[in-house]
Amino acid sequence: MSAQPVNPNLPPDHVTVFIDGVELAAPKGSMIIHAADKAGIPIPRFCYHDKLAIAANCRMCLVDTEVGGRSAPKPSPACATPVMDGLKVFTRNEKALKAQRNVMEFLLINHPLDCPICDQGGECELQDLSLGYGRSVSRFVERKRVVADEDMGPLVATEMTRCIQCTRCIRFTAEIAGTYELGGMQRGENLQIGTYDGKPLTTELSGNVIDVCPVGALTNKVFRFRARPWELIAKESLGFHDALGSNLFLHLRRGDVMRAVPRDNEAVNECWLSDRDRYSHQGLYADDRALKPLVRVASNGDDGDWREASWDEALTKAAQILRDNAADSLGVLVHPATSNEEGALLARLAEGLGTANLDHRIAQRDLSDGALAQPFATPVAEIEQADAIVIVGSNLRHEVPLLHQRVRKAWNRGAKVHVVNPVDFEFAFDIASKAIVAPSKLAVALSAAELADSVKGADNLVVIVGAVAENGIHAAEIRAAADAFASANNGRLNRIPQGANALGLARHGVLPGARDAGAMLADPRSAYVIYGIEPGLDFADQAAALKALGGAQVVAFSHFACQSTRRVADVILPIATGFENDATLTNLDGRDQRAVAAGRLPGQARQGWTALRALGGQLGLAGFAFTDLAGLRASVSVGAPSGATSAGEQSRLKPLLQEEGLELAVSQAIYRVDGLTRRAQALQAHPLTVGARISLHPDDAKAAKLASGAMAKVGNAVGTATLQVNVTDAVAPGCAWIESGYGATAALGAGRVRVEAA
């Protein structure tokens, strides 16, 4: 073979290959399958996946190769054979086709022929390829082997007799999720894929093993046996349980949402989907879904007496409440996952009624610095290129699972990850250094010389600030310290927006010109509009919220007619959830993304923008004359947020700062972040849903004479709760860790707590 390149005009890092007679340029070190895929030349495969390490297990991609006029003695796996200059590849000649057909025959020896009852039927890679490479008659008459199924938890169903040992699921849990929960046991014909310990999958990304499985061995347990793929219609939608805004498809049958699957977007979620976004659609069909407008008849107990009403009657009642309590007497509180279109209309509604009491930052306590959501200084797709990452006040793996996965990719490339947290949360990567301190000391830890020394010399430093810091009573101090640390070390600050559309709502003016959310509740108004909020669980201070709302007239635009909504509202107007809305959301990169309405709206529920348009028309306000969504979008102009007022913040926080007891560190329970996830039964049965409890450092538990499993009485000036104790040295001394989203822990608010045996 000549030392001269076939094509001297190519860059020095490329070579010339010929695949089925087509001349191609391919990067040195890449594999035949990469060049073929880029050129659109099909090569069958099972084990190969472009996001996973090459395994070369299945051998389905065997091809014939020739170099310098000499043919290789046997077929080569295209996924594991590097390209070289002048290489000729034949994917469809007799030698290649015979090899591929023989591999298919071996794969089908033990595979059950149960396509008619297999949930993967119709979208199965084995089924598709067997049509082109399989035989019509089997030459084997021996009994097929049977593999016992394993319970992998409430999300993933198993039929392991169908498994072809491609190991995609093993590589996913090891390389992408980082949990190493699946593996191959035994050898040869007896090889089986399963968990080592027989326990359910605990990774927050477990549903992705369903997508990578090329057969029906791993399927969606929630979707199983509910529909066939050809019965489904796909609608483009978005995940709205965190600020990443994962792209996904919702699959519908006769208007009902059957399942969610990932929609590829390399800049956002790649080809993955968190379990929270994949399974939360179950909550759409909860028993307490708001189906018809409701009007309070009289107070009778906690949630009063209600009767169903027409939309006209309910809107008339709502309009009367707002007319009677306009201007400064009115507060408008908005869930931070509300769409841009709805947010713009809520801002118009508030302006038309003369109130500047408007806010979406309902879960944040310390807004004394006027903090607003800001786009990431480092785009999500670039985080994996960082060489040093500092995580501040965040259980990142639960808060934004696929952002955590990007950090893992950076770590795999050699990045050093440092943590400043009140709890030693679990991450799927090694931590180079960590400061586990109480919330009041997070800012001081960020200023420590040790941390600065740890990141010295980093060319690409990324600082990520999360919900534990942003939603606590020391948030302003921590934000300032994080900003100073990033600036002093040539890093970029990335504060996770607290809500799926917090950034979009800030841009569309859902911000206070007078009282912020905390001030509206501390100094109650005579009436409120609450939008998309579950009053008993979504506020930073539940006690103050329920007290203020309970003593006022309340118009609730709600997805659910839950007990806490019935307790405080006077009118309940049923609206669409994020999966049922034509909507635009702005993710943490500042990227505007659109979702289309998927699924039939239940009962008389309406999309939120249509309900707001009707109410604005009833009130005769300006800006509500549009007739369709296109007209609304055309009328919306977006500008930079002008800032937000925070009234009396320090005076409200002062009593909390002066209390005695253990400091509270509060993180979000991964599957209790909003009304939809709380009602998704499969997510509530997941091992990561641990229930309401309080975690203490062993020294603090010993001082309180408490052991793991004991019940403790926990209290402060905000409220009291009886919680099960979890003793762990992961919690900083002098600190108590609880998860929000549970009724019991919601009663405690923030600050400090006293803990004693119940």
Side-chain angles (χ1 to χ4, degrees):
M1 178 178 173
S2 171
Q4 295 297 318
V6 173
N7 186 349
N9 296 320
L10 287 180
D13 60 344
H14 279 62
V15 296
T16 300
V17 296
F18 302 86
I19 303 181
D20 291 342
V22 179
E23 182 177 338
L24 303 169
K28 287 181 180 179
S30 63
M31 304 298 161
I32 291 172
I33 204 167
H34 298 150
D37 285 352
K38 187 175 181 180
I41 299 171
I43 296 178
R45 82 288 303 268
F46 290 116
C47 71
Y48 174 78
H49 190 286
D50 61 0
K51 293 289 184 181
L52 303 175
I54 292 170
N57 285 336
C58 71
R59 319 306 280 187
M60 191 66 214
C61 65
L62 290 175
V63 294
D64 187 18
T65 57
E66 180 184 307
V67 180
R70 297 179 60 184
S71 179
K74 57 184 180 181
S76 306
C79 70
T81 304
V83 295
M84 62 182 71
D85 200 43
L87 177 69
K88 293 183 179 180
V89 180
F90 305 94
T91 71
R92 305 290 296 170
N93 67 5
E94 182 180 356
K95 186 175 180 180
L97 288 174
K98 183 177 180 181
Q100 293 162 2
R101 286 169 179 157
N102 287 342
V103 168
M104 177 60 71
E105 185 175 17
F106 277 113
L107 285 173
L108 293 176
I109 288 173
N110 279 311
H111 193 80
L113 303 179
D114 61 346
C115 297
I117 63 165
C118 177
D119 218 42
Q120 197 86 331
E123 51 186 6
C124 171
E125 294 175 50
L126 181 64
Q127 192 178 54
D128 293 342
L129 289 178
S130 67
L131 187 65
Y133 298 91
R135 294 173 177 267
S136 59
V137 177
S138 174
R139 293 188 289 175
F140 292 85
V141 296
E142 291 81 7
R143 291 185 62 182
K144 294 176 182 284
R145 74 168 187 165
V146 176
V147 179
D149 292 328
E150 188 172 339
D151 185 1
M152 291 189 182
L155 307 182
V156 179
T158 59
E159 291 283 351
M160 299 313 293
T161 299
R162 299 171 183 156
C163 178
I164 60 171
Q165 292 88 39
C166 71
T167 71
R168 280 187 185 177
C169 58
I170 295 175
R171 284 175 284 150
F172 174 82
T173 58
E175 298 165 18
I176 307 300
T179 54
Y180 301 91
E181 293 180 87
L182 293 173
M185 293 161 281
Q186 303 185 53
R187 300 180 65 185
E189 186 188 41
N190 296 320
L191 176 64
Q192 297 182 20
I193 306 298
T195 61
Y196 298 107
D197 53 13
K199 294 180 180 178
L201 296 177
T202 59
T203 170
E204 65 285 356
L205 306 176
S206 66
N208 292 287
V209 300
I210 299 164
D211 299 328
V212 301
C213 181
V215 295
L218 301 173
T219 55
N220 186 325
K221 188 174 279 190
V222 173
F223 169 72
R224 199 179 191 201
F225 303 137
R226 298 192 65 202
R228 285 297 196 178
W230 53 84
E231 298 179 281
L232 303 176
I233 297 173
K235 295 290 183 98
E236 294 184 356
S237 191
L238 301 168
F240 58 93
H241 307 303
D242 58 50
L244 182 63
S246 294
N247 290 209
L248 55 88
F249 287 109
L250 291 175
H251 287 171
L252 319 178
R253 189 186 67 168
R254 303 187 191 113
D256 292 334
V257 178
M258 295 282 108
R259 66 175 175 183
V261 297
R263 178 161 53 97
D264 289 3
N265 188 331
E266 287 297 313
V268 182
N269 57 303
E270 301 179 87
C271 60
W272 312 121
L273 200 60
S274 70
D275 290 344
R276 188 163 59 192
D277 289 332
R278 186 184 297 268
Y279 293 100
S280 64
H281 66 85
Q282 243 194 334
L284 294 172
Y285 307 106
D287 292 340
D288 62 350
R289 185 71 197 270
L291 302 176
K292 296 180 180 180
L294 297 173
V295 175
R296 182 186 290 274
V297 177
S299 295
N300 180 20
D302 279 346
D303 55 6
D305 287 336
W306 293 83
R307 65 175 176 83
E308 294 177 357
S310 67
W311 268 98
D312 285 343
E313 181 187 356
L315 287 170
T316 300
K317 174 71 171 175
Q320 188 60 51
I321 291 173
L322 300 184
R323 285 194 193 97
D324 294 344
N325 300 274
D328 195 46
S329 298
L330 177 65
V332 181
L333 297 161
V334 182
H335 194 282
T338 302
S339 72
N340 288 336
E341 291 83 357
E342 294 162 292
L345 290 180
L346 285 160
R348 290 180 195 175
L349 182 72
E351 183 180 8
L353 292 168
T355 182
N357 304 322
L358 168 69
D359 207 355
H360 69 276
R361 300 166 301 169
I362 60 173
Q364 294 178 260
R365 286 184 173 273
D366 183 5
L367 297 170
S368 56
D369 55 351
L372 303 176
Q374 299 173 346
F376 267 27
T378 309
V380 165
E382 295 179 17
I383 285 177
E384 60 195 65
Q385 306 298 331
D387 54 5
I389 298 173
V390 179
I391 299 172
V392 182
S394 176
N395 185 1
L396 189 61
R397 185 171 164 185
H398 290 190
E399 188 175 351
V400 190
L402 289 174
L403 175 57
H404 169 270
Q405 189 264 331
R406 294 278 191 176
V407 174
R408 175 175 165 79
K409 290 180 75 173
W411 170 76
N412 274 326
R413 286 185 166 93
K416 302 296 184 183
V417 184
H418 309 271
V419 171
V420 179
N421 258 335
V423 180
D424 192 3
F425 295 116
E426 288 188 12
F427 299 106
F429 39 77
D430 294 335
I431 304 301
S433 73
K434 55 189 174 185
I436 307 302
V437 296
S440 63
K441 299 176 182 176
L442 290 178
V444 175
L446 275 169
S447 305
E450 294 85 353
L451 183 59
D453 290 342
S454 297
V455 300
K456 187 177 293 183
D459 295 322
N460 190 353
L461 170 63
V462 171
V463 180
I464 300 173
V465 180
V468 179
E470 289 279 352
N471 296 339
I473 62 175
H474 305 281
E477 182 185 8
I478 297 169
R479 283 190 286 263
D483 190 16
F485 173 80
S487 299
N489 294 281
N490 196 29
R492 289 182 285 180
L493 179 62
N494 304 277
R495 293 173 41 234
I496 299 173
Q498 295 308 298
N501 197 37
L503 189 54
L505 293 173
R507 288 179 174 178
H508 286 79
V510 186
L511 291 170
R515 293 171 177 81
D516 62 22
M520 278 185 249
L521 300 174
D523 182 12
R525 307 293 87 199
S526 59
Y528 294 90
V529 172
I530 59 173
Y531 198 91
I533 294 171
E534 192 168 355
L537 292 172
D538 287 337
F539 287 105
D541 189 338
Q542 298 300 148
L546 292 175
K547 181 179 179 181
L549 295 173
Q553 290 185 286
V554 175
V555 176
F557 291 82
S558 185
H559 312 126
F560 303 97
C562 62
Q563 185 177 359
S564 65
T565 303
R566 289 172 178 264
R567 177 179 170 184
V568 301
D570 294 276
V571 180
I572 298 176
L573 302 172
I575 57 171
T577 67
F579 285 152
E580 298 157 333
N581 243 351
D582 290 301
T584 307
L585 301 179
T586 307
N587 83 339
L588 46 72
D589 279 339
R591 182 188 302 269
D592 285 342
Q593 303 186 111
R594 283 192 178 175
V596 298
R600 179 179 59 243
L601 281 171
Q604 296 178 21
R606 293 183 179 180
Q607 289 201 35
W609 68 269
T610 65
L612 287 167
R613 180 190 62 179
L615 180 58
Q618 185 87 267
L619 291 164
L621 303 180
F624 291 86
F626 56 90
T627 58
D628 56 18
L629 186 60
L632 167 58
R633 285 173 172 163
S635 70
V636 174
S637 60
V638 181
S642 58
T645 300
S646 295
E649 197 73 44
Q650 292 298 333
S651 61
R652 293 201 305 272
L653 293 177
K654 191 173 182 180
L656 298 176
L657 295 169
Q658 293 177 340
E659 280 188 324
E660 295 183 354
L662 301 175
E663 286 190 47
L664 266 184
V666 184
S667 66
Q668 292 177 319
I670 182 171
Y671 299 136
R672 306 279 301 179
V673 296
D674 54 34
L676 209 61
T677 55
R678 293 172 199 134
R679 289 165 174 80
Q681 296 176 2
L683 295 179
Q684 297 312 303
H686 194 276
L688 292 179
T689 304
V690 297
R693 65 180 188 179
I694 186 166
S695 296
L696 304 174
H697 188 274
D699 293 345
D700 297 317
K702 183 178 180 181
K705 299 180 180 179
L706 292 167
S708 278
M711 301 303 293
K713 184 179 179 182
V714 186
N716 57 16
V718 176
T720 60
T722 301
L723 301 173
Q724 189 175 51
V725 175
N726 173 46
V727 179
T728 171
D729 57 9
V731 179
C735 180
W737 169 39
I738 61 173
E739 289 187 319
S740 63
Y742 297 101
T745 58
L748 296 174
R752 293 177 177 267
V753 291
R754 299 175 301 279
V755 182
E756 57 187 36

